Amino acid sequence: MSPHAQQISPAPSADPRAEIALRSFLDRTAAAHQYSASRRLEASGSGRQGWLDVQTQFSVASGFSYQVMAEGGSGYIRSRVLRSLLEEERNIVAENASTKVALSYDNYQFTPNSIDEEGLAVVTIKPLRKDRSLILGQMFLTEEGDLVRVKGRLVKNPSFWVTRANLIRSYQRINGVTMPVSLETTGQLRLFGSSALRMTYRYEQINERIVGDDEVANRVSE
């Protein structure tokens, strides 16, 4: 028996296509893709709003970096929520901890369920430990095993300032590889109550290949 068999537990009434999609996804070798991208981050809470426009870069050699190009709104939102999110991403990369938060056998138990109305395989994901970047919820795959969406809640607060975080992270295939294109979260801000955040990506280069105008996958419709 595969040492990872216990991490896949099909539901009694699971659609076999969902299990096939999951195995296809998990059998792929995870790779870190070099990229440059602009991002728009927006958040609000208790009548306060803030936003950042940032330029981001990632490579295995140099890690993740970002530069704020423009910003506005609440200083609290910008520092405690938006910059905090970017710093968390930079720390994960700097600590070489990406594998510890990946959608893999090492971090999750997977339960394939059904094929939804979009034709996507629905898989329940359950973290094997508490970590502020692991998600209890569901992931959605094409029948070929491409990741489209992850939806759920973080099993541990992402920071002192943000609690009870629920999220939807969307992915699309760009230049032949699957990349995140948006993140939406709701949660609680200490001192200010409920909050909402949205981050969208616009890629310029992936793996040293320019993303052309015909690569509309990196443009998330409003």
Side-chain angles (χ1 to χ4, degrees), residues 70-106:
E71 61 186 298
S74 165
Y76 179 93
I77 295 288
R78 283 180 282 145
S79 63
R80 301 304 187 188
V81 180
L82 303 180
R83 279 188 169 84
S84 177
L85 182 66
L86 294 167
E87 285 298 316
E88 174 70 9
E89 183 174 351
R90 181 159 64 181
N91 291 340
I92 287 173
V93 174
E95 294 167 8
N96 197 27
S98 298
T99 57
K100 296 180 180 179
V101 300
L103 289 163
S104 69
Y105 293 113
D106 293 328

Side-chain angles (χ1 to χ4, degrees), residues 2-213:
S2 166
H4 296 128
Q6 62 181 346
Q7 266 96 344
I8 297 181
S9 303
S13 59
D15 189 312
R17 292 174 295 172
E19 185 174 357
I20 292 170
L22 173 61
R23 291 190 181 277
S24 177
F25 171 78
L26 292 172
D27 285 346
R28 300 176 185 179
T29 302
H33 301 290
Q34 178 177 324
Y35 68 82
S36 63
S38 59
R39 300 189 196 179
R40 173 79 173 191
L41 295 85
E42 302 169 285
S44 61
S46 295
R48 297 170 181 250
Q49 297 180 333
W51 58 272
L52 299 178
D53 285 334
V54 301
Q55 188 66 33
T56 62
Q57 305 276 345
F58 169 78
S59 71
V60 174
S62 59
F64 173 76
S65 63
Y66 69 91
Q67 180 180 2
V68 177
M69 309 303 291
E71 61 186 298
S74 165
Y76 179 93
I77 295 288
R78 283 180 282 145
S79 63
R80 301 304 187 188
V81 180
L82 303 180
R83 279 188 169 84
S84 177
L85 182 66
L86 294 167
E87 285 298 316
E88 174 70 9
E89 183 174 351
R90 181 159 64 181
N91 291 340
I92 287 173
V93 174
E95 294 167 8
N96 197 27
S98 298
T99 57
K100 296 180 180 179
V101 300
L103 289 163
S104 69
Y105 293 113
D106 293 328
N107 302 316
Y108 287 94
Q109 182 178 25
F110 301 94
T111 303
N113 293 299
S114 61
I115 302 296
D116 69 7
E117 64 276 5
E118 295 180 79
L120 300 177
V122 182
V123 178
T124 298
I125 54 175
K126 182 180 180 181
L128 299 179
R129 65 184 185 281
K130 283 196 171 183
D131 186 290
R132 60 189 177 189
S133 295
L134 295 181
I135 301 161
L136 176 64
Q138 295 175 316
M139 68 177 183
F140 300 80
L141 309 169
T142 67
E143 291 194 44
E144 296 73 32
D146 289 338
L147 181 61
V148 174
R149 190 180 309 118
V150 175
K151 180 179 180 180
R153 65 175 177 81
L154 297 178
V155 293
K156 190 174 181 181
N157 292 338
S159 73
F160 172 81
W161 302 100
V162 182
T163 64
R164 288 185 280 178
N166 296 282
L167 64 84
I168 300 174
R169 183 179 286 126
S170 297
Y171 300 79
Q172 291 189 7
R173 184 170 281 271
I174 307 170
N175 276 12
V177 297
T178 300
M179 301 294 289
V181 292
S182 72
L183 172 67
E184 297 180 62
T185 74
T186 58
Q188 295 289 313
L189 284 177
R190 294 190 189 276
L191 307 179
F192 291 108
S194 62
S195 66
L197 177 146
R198 178 174 171 83
M199 176 166 63
T200 54
Y201 304 62
R202 183 180 178 88
Y203 292 95
E204 290 134 15
Q205 285 190 346
I206 299 175
N207 294 336
E208 299 184 336
R209 286 182 55 207
I210 293 174
V211 176
D213 290 339

